[in-house]
Amino acid sequence: QSVLTQPPSVSGAPGQTVTISCNGSSSNIGAGYDVHWYQQIPGAAPKVLMCGNTNRPLGVPDRFSGSKSGTSASLAITALQAEDEADYYCQSYDSSLSVVMFGGGTKLTVL
Amino acid sequence: EVQLVESGGGLVQPGGSLRLSCVASGFTFSSHWMHWVRQAPGKGLEWVSRINKDGTRESYADSVKGRFTISRDNAKDTLYLQMNSLTADDTAVYYCTRGRLSSCLDLWGQGTLVTVSS
């Protein structure tokens, strides 16, 4: 069981907006540690979507945006496309466990 | 081309050992912390270990502490993961990743599969 909690699945129709949450605690997200987001297409290696809460690396479409507040973070995907169907993971650092950690992952289905 | 290429995976018996390697190219390897992340079949990502730029500081997930050792050779642009006392729970694809500020993992290798089975 992950210390960072994500919904197991979300879905949306093409063109819609979906949001994936990542709930942590006072020893990780709430302590000010950055949250990063990754996308993993089935059968491929993960790819970074968001570094440092809100920063999109070069090449990541601006349909993807990140936010952080208190002990939680979110990834929003607007104008949903079929190619967005993938698993999404949040990641942060936990000071009480002294480890880097991932959320359990969220499977996005584009209807 | 900026890339990470892992090798060394394979089938190993329970209790056995394996050493993974990851060769970096296209960037200054010695300027980055490096991490290993694994993914068991059908499961999510699990952070395994990280090492600082000059190889003097390491940290590990509790699940591998005392059994796995991360190391690097900056002269060879290569990251290693020595895995001992392997169990079936260690069966996974192991990814070599490059770390940035706050442990954002901005570059991933293609992964190497480790299967622990008799």
Side-chain angles (χ1 to χ4, degrees):
Chain A
Q1 192 170 359
S2 303
V3 175
L4 300 179
T5 303
Q6 298 180 233
S9 63
V10 296
S11 63
Q16 288 188 333
T17 297
V18 296
T19 301
I20 300 172
S21 60
C22 177
N23 296 317
S25 68
S26 58
S27 60
N28 42 69
I29 299 175
Y33 292 103
D34 285 342
V35 178
H36 319 297
W37 291 91
Y38 304 88
Q39 177 193 61
Q40 186 177 32
I41 306 290
K47 160 192 160 184
V48 64
L49 278 182
M50 207 70 55
C51 259
N53 309 310
T54 60
N55 301 307
R56 271 189 320 273
L58 283 175
V60 175
D62 60 6
R63 300 186 297 104
F64 294 87
S65 63
S67 64
K68 176 186 160 186
S69 178
T71 59
S72 296
S74 293
L75 175 73
I77 310 172
T78 61
L80 208 55
Q81 300 179 3
E83 67 199 47
D84 298 331
E85 191 159 284
D87 294 320
Y88 293 83
Y89 296 90
C90 63
Q91 177 229 322
S92 188
Y93 179 82
D94 190 280
S95 58
S96 67
L97 300 173
S98 298
V99 294
V100 174
M101 56 181 37
F102 288 93
T106 299
K107 181 176 181 58
L108 168 62
T109 301
V110 180
L111 302 171
Chain B
E1 182 184 0
V2 177
Q3 63 178 357
L4 298 167
V5 179
E6 302 97 334
S7 61
L11 176 64
V12 60
Q13 292 190 337
S17 299
L18 213 54
R19 187 175 88 153
L20 306 183
S21 299
C22 168
V23 177
S25 59
F27 66 96
T28 304
F29 179 70
S30 59
S31 295
H32 294 269
W33 286 62
M34 296 296 294
H35 301 241
W36 288 98
V37 174
R38 69 184 181 182
Q39 185 170 36
K43 302 295 185 182
L45 301 175
E46 179 187 14
W47 177 80
V48 172
S49 180
R50 68 177 177 179
I51 189 167
N52 68 343
K53 298 175 188 179
D54 62 8
T56 57
R57 273 198 290 162
E58 311 147 27
S59 58
Y60 300 91
D62 284 347
S63 58
V64 306
K65 201 173 293 183
R67 301 187 300 121
F68 288 13
T69 302
I70 191 172
S71 62
R72 65 192 296 163
D73 185 337
N74 286 344
K76 296 182 178 179
D77 293 339
T78 303
L79 176 72
Y80 302 100
L81 185 68
Q82 176 67 43
M83 306 185 295
N84 299 330
S85 303
L86 287 162
T87 72
D89 288 342
D90 298 314
T91 294
V93 174
Y94 285 74
Y95 293 102
C96 167
T97 69
R98 183 178 74 177
R100 285 181 58 188
L101 287 177
S102 303
S103 293
C104 176
L105 307 176
D106 71 339
L107 181 65
W108 294 63
Q110 84 287 353
T112 187
L113 176 62
V114 172
T115 303
V116 184
S117 174
S118 55

